[in-house]
Amino acid sequence: MSETVDTIDADQEEKTAPAEPKAGGEDALVQEGDIAGDYLERLLDLLDYDGDIDLDVEAGRAIVSIDGGDDLEKLVGPRGTVLEALQELTRLAVQQETGSRSRLMLDIAGWRADRREELRELGRSTAESVLASGERVRLQPMSPFERKVVHDAVATVKGVTSESEGEDPKRRVVIFPED
C-alpha cells in the first residue's frame, strides 16, 4: 500500500498547510482522533448510516470506534477486509491533515474487540495442542493485527513459541514446541 496520495481534489488544494499537531504526544493523538472522527462522520453521512463515534487514546495510539447503527456490519466486510481498508483510508486522511503518518486503530460495531478475543483463544488453545502433541501448527493467513494478537496469546503458554512466515497477504503464524 502506498503511504502517499498523489491525487488531490480542488477542495483539498485550497487548504493552505497541514494542521500542526498540538504540543505533546497525547495531545497529538487526541488531534488524530478528532481528525479521524470528523472524516468518519462525513463518511457515515454520505452513506446515510447511523453510528456513534467514540475517540480514545490507548497504548500510544488513537483509537476510534463506531457503534450503534444497523448497517455498520457492511463497513466491516468479510473477515474485516472493509474495516482494514477504511482504517487505512482514515490514516491517510489524518496524515493529509497533520503531515505525519498515523497509527490509529479503527473498530466498527465491536468487530475488532470480538475478533481479538477469538484470536486470543485460538492462540492459547493451539499452543496447548502443540505442547501436547509436539507437532508444529500453521494457522490460516492473517492480517498484522491478527498475527500480533495470536503471538501475544502463544507467549502466555510455556514450552511453545510462534513466528510468522510467508509474505502478505498470505503471511501466517506458525506455532511450534520450544527446543
Side-chain angles (χ1 to χ4, degrees), residues 96-115:
Q96 187 173 14
E97 287 288 318
T98 64
S100 300
R101 182 78 176 135
S102 173
R103 294 179 51 241
L104 77 85
M105 181 73 71
L106 175 62
D107 193 6
I108 298 175
W111 186 85
R112 232 183 254 283
D114 293 344
R115 181 71 175 144

Side-chain angles (χ1 to χ4, degrees), residues 32-34 36-38 40-41 44 51-58 62-68 104-108:
E32 282 187 21
D34 288 341
D38 291 344
L40 292 164
E41 186 71 42
L44 290 175
D52 297 319
I53 297 176
D54 182 44
L55 310 173
D56 199 4
V57 173
E58 191 176 296
I63 308 291
V64 181
S65 302
I66 305 174
D67 290 303
L104 77 85
M105 181 73 71
L106 175 62
D107 193 6
I108 298 175

Side-chain angles (χ1 to χ4, degrees), residues 11-161:
D11 292 338
Q12 293 169 332
E13 282 183 13
E14 291 178 7
K15 294 181 182 176
T16 54
E20 291 297 318
K22 297 175 186 173
E26 187 158 331
D27 286 346
L29 294 174
V30 168
Q31 182 185 21
E32 282 187 21
D34 288 341
I35 293 166
D38 291 344
Y39 174 80
L40 292 164
E41 186 71 42
R42 288 190 308 270
L43 175 70
L44 290 175
D45 287 346
L46 284 170
L47 295 171
D48 198 25
Y49 285 4
D50 290 325
D52 297 319
I53 297 176
D54 182 44
L55 310 173
D56 199 4
V57 173
E58 191 176 296
R61 71 170 52 184
I63 308 291
V64 181
S65 302
I66 305 174
D67 290 303
D70 294 333
D71 294 320
L72 293 179
E73 290 295 322
K74 296 174 187 172
L75 297 179
V76 173
R79 294 195 64 213
T81 54
V82 176
L83 172 59
E84 290 291 331
L86 285 174
Q87 176 176 277
E88 189 60 25
L89 289 171
T90 305
R91 286 176 174 176
L92 289 170
V94 169
Q95 179 180 349
Q96 187 173 14
E97 287 288 318
T98 64
S100 300
R101 182 78 176 135
S102 173
R103 294 179 51 241
L104 77 85
M105 181 73 71
L106 175 62
D107 193 6
I108 298 175
W111 186 85
R112 232 183 254 283
D114 293 344
R115 181 71 175 144
R116 185 177 286 119
E117 263 320 298
E118 290 172 19
L119 291 167
R120 282 183 186 137
E121 179 54 33
L122 174 67
R124 280 190 298 265
S125 64
T126 304
E128 290 167 0
S129 172
V130 166
L131 189 59
S133 72
E135 299 291 322
R136 70 176 35 215
V137 173
R138 285 179 175 82
L139 299 177
Q140 300 254 345
M142 296 179 186
S143 70
F145 157 76
E146 292 171 320
R147 291 192 310 270
K148 171 145 181 26
V149 174
V150 172
H151 286 304
D152 290 348
V154 169
T156 66
V157 179
K158 291 184 181 183
V160 296
T161 191

